[in-house]
């Protein structure tokens, strides 16, 4: 069946494209004899990955759990604020403009402040990951709650439902797809937050590794660091995408019918 | 009609929505007996849905009083089941869980819901069976047709055995055949249980076929212009809709609504 072949081709597409990209990259580096100090080839990056596997793994682990803690705080705070903003007009009016203004500030600008307060190391990295990742969750959860169909609410209100009933039985389940969509955005943002903080103010983590590798001209190692971050973020993104499909299949029936 | 026999009683009721100077409905006075099937018809935008919100207590009247079952209505009533033009099923719940929803909320079922869930589920299944939805209990709403969704929605409105059923153009979005099928389902449910029904509709045939009493509302601000008792014998079969007596009543009501529409609009 052609549709079957099409589907398999679609599934293979990211791999095909990645391999093609690597081949072109390698070809350019080899053909034009680009120096490894300027732009390392995939092959030298792979070599660096193997050669420095141990330190890379250590730093990657540091970056990973730092990000997870920051992200977890971001989810908790984001959910709480999202519910508050989405259910109360008063909070919406009062808090939302402040949140928007806060979100417009580059989070890198916070790192020096956090360093003054908490010293260099894990804490500023966790907090940066948190600060950068909670906003999309707030916006999405609030949107999910605020766009609740009034008829759906009327059905419950005419039964004498309490506000908490409406929130638990209709509001929150209905905003789950919004919530999961925001998790996918937030997890990648959290990695950015951690790495940015590590490059500026840490002696640990992939960010620090790339910084110190760069200053000792080990460009393949810098790129290896980039690669590792990309893989971690992609893996976490996929994890949440799978969770999303499992938890909110009813909202994605078109794209993944009977999946 | 004496005051005491009225189940629903509107006295000089008017409602203006917040931020609007003019009334959406005004001078509404009517009495509905317990177990009576009432239909309210009128041109679109005449405040029929506003009337529903008043009857359920979702909106308090600006003027006048609404009394239901002897109590003045001040907040949302719990003895009411509602169904709307859109089925408004929760898309993440199966048909059965959608129908069970009121039992999770309304006392006294709420208190024992966890313990008696199996028994409640049996009741819901039985109800679904009466509307021909057996076998669809575990389907999600998007797997049902529009008519099936609306049937499930009516089951949801009835599962907590309310004394009053409020229907806001429940069959408006369905095709003619499905609509007539659902008329008969509603007729049979009502005949078996004898709850009070207020049906808001713009379909005159629907109103005449189902109701004991039809009220005609005027365009905004909505007022009750006419009241007509439908004396067609019960039980009514779909055949009755082709009889002369039926057409005569429908024509008569149509005339009255036509008269409203010909009046110049004042805005």
């Amino acid at each position: 069946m052609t549709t079957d072949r099409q589907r398999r081709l679609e599934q293979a597409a990211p791999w095909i494209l990645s391999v093609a990209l690597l081949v072109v990259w390698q070809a350019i580096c080899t053909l034009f004899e680009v120096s490894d100090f300027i732009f390392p080839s995939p092959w030298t990056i792979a070599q660096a990955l193997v050669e420095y596997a141990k330190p890379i793994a250590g730093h990657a682990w540091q970056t990973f759990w730092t990000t997870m803690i920051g992200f977890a705080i971001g989810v908790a705070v984001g959910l709480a604020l999202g519910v508050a903003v989405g259910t109360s007009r008063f909070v919406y009016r009062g808090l939302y403009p402040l949140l928007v203004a806060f979100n417009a500030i580059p989070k890198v600008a916070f790192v020096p402040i956090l360093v003054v307060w908490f010293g260099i190391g894990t804490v500023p990295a966790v907090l940066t990951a948190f600060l950068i990742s909670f906003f999309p969750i707030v916006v999405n959860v609030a949107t999910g709650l605020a766009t609740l169909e009034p008829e759906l609410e009327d059905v419950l209100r005419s039964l004498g439902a309490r506000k908490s009933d409406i929130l638990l039985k209709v509001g929150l389940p209905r905003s789950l797809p919004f919530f999961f969509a925001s998790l996918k955005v937030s997890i990648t943002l959290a990695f950015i937050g951690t790495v940015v903080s590590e490059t500026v103010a840490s002696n640990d983590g992939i960010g620090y590794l790339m910084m110190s590798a760069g200053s000792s001209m080990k460009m393949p190692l810098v790129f290896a660091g980039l690669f590792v971050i990309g893989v971690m973020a992609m893996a976490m993104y996929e994890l949440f995408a799978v969770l999303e499909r499992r938890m909110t299949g009813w909202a994605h029936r078109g794209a993944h019918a009977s999946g | 009609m004496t005051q005491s026999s009225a189940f629903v009683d509107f006295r000089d009721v008017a409602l203006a929505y917040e931020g609007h100077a003019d009334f959406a409905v005004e001078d509404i006075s009517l009495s509905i007996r317990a177990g009576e099937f009432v239909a309210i018809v009128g041109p679109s935008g005449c405040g029929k849905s506003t009337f529903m919100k008043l009857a359920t207590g979702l909106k308090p009247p600006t003027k006048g009083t609404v009394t239901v079952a002897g109590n003045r209505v001040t907040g949302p009533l719990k003895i009411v089941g509602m169904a709307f033009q859109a089925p408004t099923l929760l898309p993440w719940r199966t048909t059965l869980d959608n129908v069970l929803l009121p039992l999770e909320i309304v006392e006294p079922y709420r208190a024992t819901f966890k313990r008696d869930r199996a028994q409640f589920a049996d009741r819901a299944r039985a109800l679904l069976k009466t509307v021909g939805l057996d076998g669809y209990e575990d389907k999600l709403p998007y797997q049902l047709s529009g008519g099936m969704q609306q049937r499930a929605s009516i089951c949801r409105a009835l599962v907590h055995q309310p004394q009053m059923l409020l229907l806001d153009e429940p069959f408006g979005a369905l095709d003619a055949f499905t609509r007539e099928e659902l008329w008969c389902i509603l007729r049979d449910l009502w005949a078996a249980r004898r709850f009070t029904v207020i049906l808001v509709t713009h379909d005159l045939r629907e109103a005449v076929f189902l109701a004991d009493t039809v009220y005609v509302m005027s365009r905004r601000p909505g007022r009750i212009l006419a009241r007509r008792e439908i004396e067609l014998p019960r039980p009514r079969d779909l055949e009755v809709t082709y009889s002369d007596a039926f057409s005569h009543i429908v024509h008569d009501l149509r005339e009255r609504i036509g008269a409203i529409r010909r009046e110049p609009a004042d805005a």
Side-chain angles (χ1 to χ4, degrees):
Chain A
M1 293 274 290
T2 47
T3 51
D4 214 46
R5 258 184 62 191
Q6 254 173 359
R7 228 191 37 211
R8 250 179 295 164
L9 200 66
E10 238 176 72
Q11 276 171 350
W15 301 104
I16 297 171
L17 196 68
S18 304
V19 170
L21 192 71
L22 288 178
V23 168
V24 172
W25 181 352
Q26 182 70 46
I28 291 172
C29 289
T30 315
L31 277 175
F32 298 101
E33 292 174 348
V34 181
S35 161
D36 276 348
F37 297 107
I38 307 298
F39 191 56
S41 70
W43 178 242
T44 48
I45 295 170
Q47 281 176 317
L49 268 172
V50 174
E51 190 184 341
Y52 299 102
K54 235 180 147 183
I56 288 176
H59 287 294
W61 174 242
Q62 163 74 22
T63 298
F64 180 77
W65 69 260
T66 305
T67 304
M68 285 307 120
I69 295 175
F71 176 67
I73 303 173
V75 171
V77 173
L79 250 182
L81 281 178
V83 169
V85 170
T87 51
S88 157
R89 285 192 65 80
F90 181 76
V91 177
Y92 176 85
R93 288 284 166 102
L95 196 61
Y96 209 64
L98 288 179
L99 282 174
V100 172
F102 172 79
N103 191 49
I105 303 171
K107 301 303 171 293
V108 196
F110 279 105
V111 178
I113 303 171
L114 294 173
V115 169
V116 171
W117 288 348
F118 302 103
I120 66 163
T122 307
V123 179
V126 166
L127 289 176
T128 313
F130 153 63
L131 287 175
I132 204 170
S133 67
F134 85 95
F135 187 74
I137 302 176
V138 176
V139 173
N140 271 38
V141 172
T143 307
L145 289 171
T147 54
L148 182 62
E149 292 86 349
E151 290 85 9
L152 231 49
E153 220 179 311
D154 276 354
V155 168
L156 288 192
R157 287 219 302 139
S158 68
L159 296 167
R162 303 174 200 142
K163 273 211 144 178
S164 61
D165 287 333
I166 296 176
L167 183 66
L168 285 174
K169 306 236 180 252
V170 183
L172 287 182
R174 193 184 167 285
S175 41
L176 267 189
F178 293 82
F179 175 63
F180 276 106
S182 71
L183 288 188
K184 292 191 293 188
V185 178
S186 281
I187 186 68
T188 49
L189 286 177
F191 274 107
I192 295 175
T194 305
V195 173
V196 160
S197 176
E198 282 170 353
T199 46
V200 184
S202 183
N203 296 320
D204 241 331
I206 294 285
Y208 165 76
L209 175 76
M210 284 165 58
M211 206 59 191
S212 58
S215 56
S216 55
M217 298 304 277
K218 290 180 191 154
M219 281 303 266
L221 184 53
V222 177
F223 274 77
L226 285 179
F227 175 77
V228 168
I229 298 165
V231 168
M232 284 196 292
M234 207 165 66
M236 291 313 289
Y237 180 97
E238 272 307 312
L239 176 71
F240 286 113
V242 169
L243 267 180
E244 178 184 31
R245 281 199 290 271
R246 294 212 143 197
M247 307 275 293
T248 63
W250 54 270
H252 302 273
R253 60 196 192 237
H256 318 278
S258 71
Chain B
M1 198 180 310
T2 58
Q3 168 90 47
S4 61
S5 73
F7 181 68
V8 181
D9 194 57
F10 276 63
R11 283 270 131 163
D12 307 319
V13 173
L15 177 92
Y17 282 102
E18 255 173 78
H20 291 265
D22 49 343
F23 291 110
V25 296
E26 64 182 12
D27 289 338
I28 307 261
S29 290
L30 57 85
S31 290
I32 301 170
R33 297 186 309 276
E36 188 175 0
F37 198 130
V38 167
I40 296 183
V41 296
S44 59
C46 72
K48 288 174 293 190
S49 298
T50 307
F51 178 85
M52 300 284 278
K53 287 190 173 147
L54 286 164
T56 47
L58 285 176
K59 291 265 177 215
T62 316
K63 281 200 290 200
T65 54
V66 179
T67 315
V68 174
N71 298 312
R72 188 167 165 176
V73 176
T74 51
L77 293 170
K78 291 163 200 188
I79 54 166
V80 182
M82 285 185 96
F84 304 88
Q85 178 168 356
T88 61
L89 299 175
L90 305 182
W92 54 90
R93 284 181 170 230
T94 62
T95 308
L96 184 67
D97 285 336
N98 262 299
V99 173
L100 284 172
L101 179 70
L103 301 179
E104 293 172 30
I105 288 165
V106 178
E107 297 290 1
Y109 310 103
R110 180 191 187 115
T112 62
F113 185 80
K114 285 221 172 78
R115 205 183 59 213
D116 296 340
R117 195 179 191 283
Q119 185 202 327
F120 289 159
D122 285 343
R123 186 204 286 189
R125 278 175 211 281
L127 191 57
L128 283 167
K129 196 166 178 196
T130 61
V131 301
L133 278 182
D134 40 334
Y136 292 93
E137 292 91 344
D138 299 321
K139 296 264 188 274
L140 288 170
Y142 75 85
Q143 295 167 309
L144 305 182
S145 70
M148 288 169 153
Q149 291 189 25
Q150 199 54 271
R151 281 184 250 175
S153 162
I154 290 171
C155 287
R156 180 181 62 187
L158 289 175
V159 74
H160 56 298
Q161 299 180 320
Q163 289 168 269
M164 182 156 72
L165 180 62
L166 294 181
L167 302 169
D168 191 352
E169 299 193 14
F171 313 127
L174 305 175
D175 65 89
F177 296 111
T178 313
R179 194 180 308 157
E180 292 184 353
E181 203 181 308
L182 286 191
W183 290 355
C184 295
I185 284 172
L186 178 60
R187 174 198 64 194
D188 297 340
L189 282 169
W190 177 74
R193 299 177 172 220
R194 285 292 168 162
F195 35 78
T196 309
V197 184
I198 301 178
L199 167 71
V200 163
T201 179
H202 53 239
D203 184 341
L204 292 174
R205 293 177 65 241
E206 177 173 306
V208 174
F209 177 67
L210 287 166
D212 295 319
T213 316
V214 176
Y215 289 91
V216 178
M217 277 182 88
S218 72
R219 65 163 69 230
R220 234 161 219 263
R223 282 188 207 140
I224 304 263
L225 280 194
R227 169 177 192 276
R228 164 139 201 177
E229 300 203 3
I230 311 299
E231 272 140 6
L232 298 169
R234 290 186 188 273
R236 293 176 195 162
D237 191 76
L238 264 182
E239 280 301 310
V240 84
T241 61
Y242 302 104
S243 69
D244 284 344
F246 185 89
S247 321
H248 185 74
I249 301 171
V250 172
H251 258 129
D252 176 49
L253 288 170
R254 184 74 193 78
E255 286 282 296
R256 297 182 200 224
I257 289 183
I260 305 167
R261 290 187 68 88
R262 277 193 297 275
E263 281 169 25
D266 53 329

